[in-house]
Amino acid sequence: MATSINASTIKRLSEEVGQDTVTLLLNVFSDELEQYLRQLSDQPTISQVREISHAIKSSAASFGADELAEMAQECESRVKQGQEQWMNDHLCEFTQMVKGMAIEYKQLASNDELINRML
């Protein structure tokens, strides 16, 4: 597990806010991803996908979900460029990535041993 989570980002976050707070923040981030997942799974408009992508982009980078941040950036950029077909073709992939990361972060937040290995 945690292979797609940037451990150095988690370590830096832990140094800034403390390990107990990191656990709380990881849970909050996972909950946010689950909320976005519900929105993405409910046939969102292109405008909604752009808003969701924008929101995920920043928070994913802050929590070390680098691949998700890159995908969210790409989705947001493609929508802004009017490439709706590209977004339609990649929405499933983006949704699955959000789902996978929500699970990974929830597992990480519930396992102090995994967090300690990252630190």
Side-chain angles (χ1 to χ4, degrees):
M1 205 229 42
T3 55
S4 57
I5 298 174
N6 186 327
S8 62
T9 301
I10 301 298
K11 182 176 182 176
R12 184 175 66 247
L13 187 60
S14 178
E15 290 168 355
E16 291 173 5
V17 300
Q19 185 172 341
D20 290 341
T21 303
V22 164
T23 300
L24 175 68
L25 293 174
L26 293 174
N27 273 311
V28 169
F29 179 55
S30 177
D31 291 345
E32 286 178 2
L33 290 177
E34 289 171 357
Q35 178 183 1
Y36 294 133
L37 178 62
R38 285 190 294 278
Q39 294 171 358
L40 289 169
S41 300
D42 194 28
Q43 298 182 341
T45 65
I46 289 296
S47 177
Q48 289 170 321
V49 172
R50 184 185 57 76
E51 291 171 15
I52 293 166
S53 299
H54 178 76
I56 289 175
K57 174 185 66 176
S58 299
S59 57
S62 297
F63 284 95
D66 298 344
E67 292 174 21
L68 178 59
E70 289 175 21
M71 181 63 164
Q73 169 65 44
E74 185 70 18
C75 291
E76 181 185 24
S77 176
R78 297 286 184 139
V79 170
K80 283 182 178 178
Q81 295 171 17
Q83 298 180 16
E84 291 184 23
Q85 187 58 52
W86 185 93
M87 193 62 253
N88 290 332
D89 293 344
H90 291 83
L91 184 59
C92 183
E93 176 186 356
F94 183 48
T95 302
Q96 289 302 311
M97 189 177 280
V98 171
K99 180 180 181 179
M101 294 311 297
I103 292 168
E104 279 197 52
Y105 278 90
K106 189 63 77 180
Q107 290 174 343
L108 179 61
S110 67
N111 190 329
D112 286 340
E113 183 179 323
L114 288 175
I115 293 174
N116 287 335
R117 277 193 243 152
M118 291 185 149
L119 307 179

